[in-house]
Amino acid sequence: MMIDTHCHLSKEDYEDVEKIIKNMENNIMIVSTASPSEIDEIIELCNQHDNIFGTIGIHPEFADTYTKEDLVKLESALKNPKIVGIGEIGLDYHYTKENKEIQKELFITQIKLANKYNKTLVIHSRDAIEDTYNIIREYKNENIKCNMHCYSGSLEMAKKFIKLGVVLGIGGVLTFKNEKKLKEIVSSLDMENFILETDSPYLTPEPFRGHKNEPANIKYVAAKISQLKGIEYTKVLEITTQNAIRQFDLNTKL
Ligand code: NI
């Protein structure tokens, strides 16, 4: 079994979402929100499919535009047992640093919700790794699990996150020819620190880079890890599946 711990399956992303889901039969997907307006869509997917779980949250790109109602809606949806995490949330200074303080406030508010409802944190961090680290260290309760979605920091920072109990989401970037940093991280650290993700429809792994991504492509990420670490492919799936089940307390009946 494979678990794609982070993907987006919005009707806006795919013409035929059901076909994409069918390609992951007997495997598990954790669908993440990219926008507060997608919460209902995610709940519906979770209700319709045993092998789909969800994480919901308000992404930093909405820091200036989210409403109080969005937060109320988010909090009430967290009571659904198939919503296993809050995310993707975090900090993104790539396009603007001007609203840093507003981004931090939204991030902290949602970490407090994770603490309150015992949900796993799924973190988006772009050009903001130090601030992300400091906020997680200060505000996350010790028992709350946390993943760095599509980790893109240094090996040194990865080790600091791991000390906080954080697990790294590894996706298609690992297969890119010019990517060195992530390969070094995967080669250096133990398998217990990794979960697999596609971030579909984005970040398609080789050999399909340039095409639209889908959760079934998770196998190419697993194959690359197998090659880099010299561990059997089936063993990579087995370990990362166990890591993901533990990370999200998944109640899988598959
Ligand atoms: Ni994503």
Side-chain angles (χ1 to χ4, degrees):
M1 182 167 73
M2 308 184 284
I3 303 185
D4 182 355
T5 62
H6 185 107
C7 57
H8 305 278
L9 293 180
S10 161
K11 287 180 188 115
E12 279 173 32
D13 297 320
Y14 299 100
E15 246 170 63
D16 188 351
V17 175
E18 288 303 318
K19 182 170 167 269
I20 301 292
I21 293 170
K22 187 99 175 73
N23 293 342
M24 277 291 272
E25 220 170 10
N26 302 319
N27 296 300
I28 291 175
M29 288 152 280
I30 301 177
V31 179
S32 271
T33 9
S35 150
S37 65
E38 284 175 8
I39 291 177
D40 290 335
E41 209 181 328
I42 287 192
I43 302 258
E44 205 185 310
L45 277 174
C46 288
N47 289 341
Q48 285 168 349
H49 299 274
D50 284 346
N51 64 336
I52 295 186
F53 296 84
T55 74
I56 54 175
I58 303 172
H59 190 280
E61 77 178 274
F62 300 103
D64 290 322
T65 54
Y66 79 96
T67 62
K68 276 209 180 88
E69 287 73 35
D70 289 334
L71 272 179
V72 171
K73 191 173 184 182
L74 173 69
E75 182 161 0
S76 96
L78 288 175
K79 290 162 193 154
N80 183 320
K82 287 198 85 184
I83 298 300
V84 291
I86 302 191
E88 49 189 289
I89 62 169
L91 302 173
D92 194 325
Y93 300 162
H94 186 71
Y95 298 105
T96 178
K97 291 186 176 71
E98 276 165 33
N99 64 355
K100 262 187 184 182
E101 291 313 310
I102 302 170
Q103 287 196 36
K104 286 182 190 174
E105 195 188 306
L106 174 61
F107 186 23
I108 292 165
T109 300
Q110 294 182 95
I111 292 177
K112 287 178 179 168
L113 282 176
N115 292 339
K116 183 174 170 187
Y117 291 96
N118 193 22
K119 300 287 179 181
T120 300
L121 288 163
V122 178
I123 308 292
H124 170 100
S125 178
R126 194 168 184 198
D127 298 343
I129 201 83
E130 292 280 346
D131 282 0
T132 305
Y133 173 80
N134 289 330
I135 288 177
I136 292 172
R137 193 184 53 182
E138 187 171 347
Y139 291 95
K140 183 183 85 59
N141 282 357
E142 217 175 306
N143 64 315
I144 297 300
K145 300 192 174 88
C146 179
N147 313 322
M148 292 301 288
H149 147 55
C150 206
Y151 181 72
S152 61
S154 65
L155 175 60
E156 191 194 343
M157 275 312 290
K159 288 178 180 167
K160 286 176 76 176
F161 276 111
I162 286 167
K163 275 195 183 143
L164 286 186
V166 174
V167 163
L168 310 178
I170 307 295
V173 173
L174 185 70
T175 69
F176 295 174
K177 285 196 179 68
N178 296 325
E179 173 57 49
K180 292 200 178 74
K181 208 165 55 173
L182 196 57
K183 288 191 181 107
E184 187 197 0
I185 286 169
V186 168
S187 304
S188 316
L189 301 174
D190 289 343
M191 282 301 295
E192 65 182 22
N193 301 302
F194 306 130
I195 50 177
L196 305 180
E197 62 166 68
T198 59
D199 203 19
S200 296
Y202 314 107
L203 298 174
T204 311
E206 295 287 3
F208 297 112
R209 197 174 175 187
H211 296 87
K212 190 176 275 192
N213 204 2
E214 65 168 271
N217 286 336
I218 199 81
K219 53 182 171 286
Y220 299 104
V221 179
K224 192 71 196 178
I225 295 179
S226 158
Q227 185 200 341
L228 283 170
K229 294 193 81 68
I231 297 173
E232 259 178 72
Y233 173 74
T234 50
K235 193 79 190 157
V236 171
L237 293 187
E238 195 185 304
I239 298 171
T240 52
T241 295
Q242 286 311 316
N243 292 349
I245 289 173
R246 194 177 58 236
Q247 251 333 80
F248 289 96
D249 291 320
L250 295 181
N251 181 10
T252 59
K253 296 185 202 76
L254 293 175

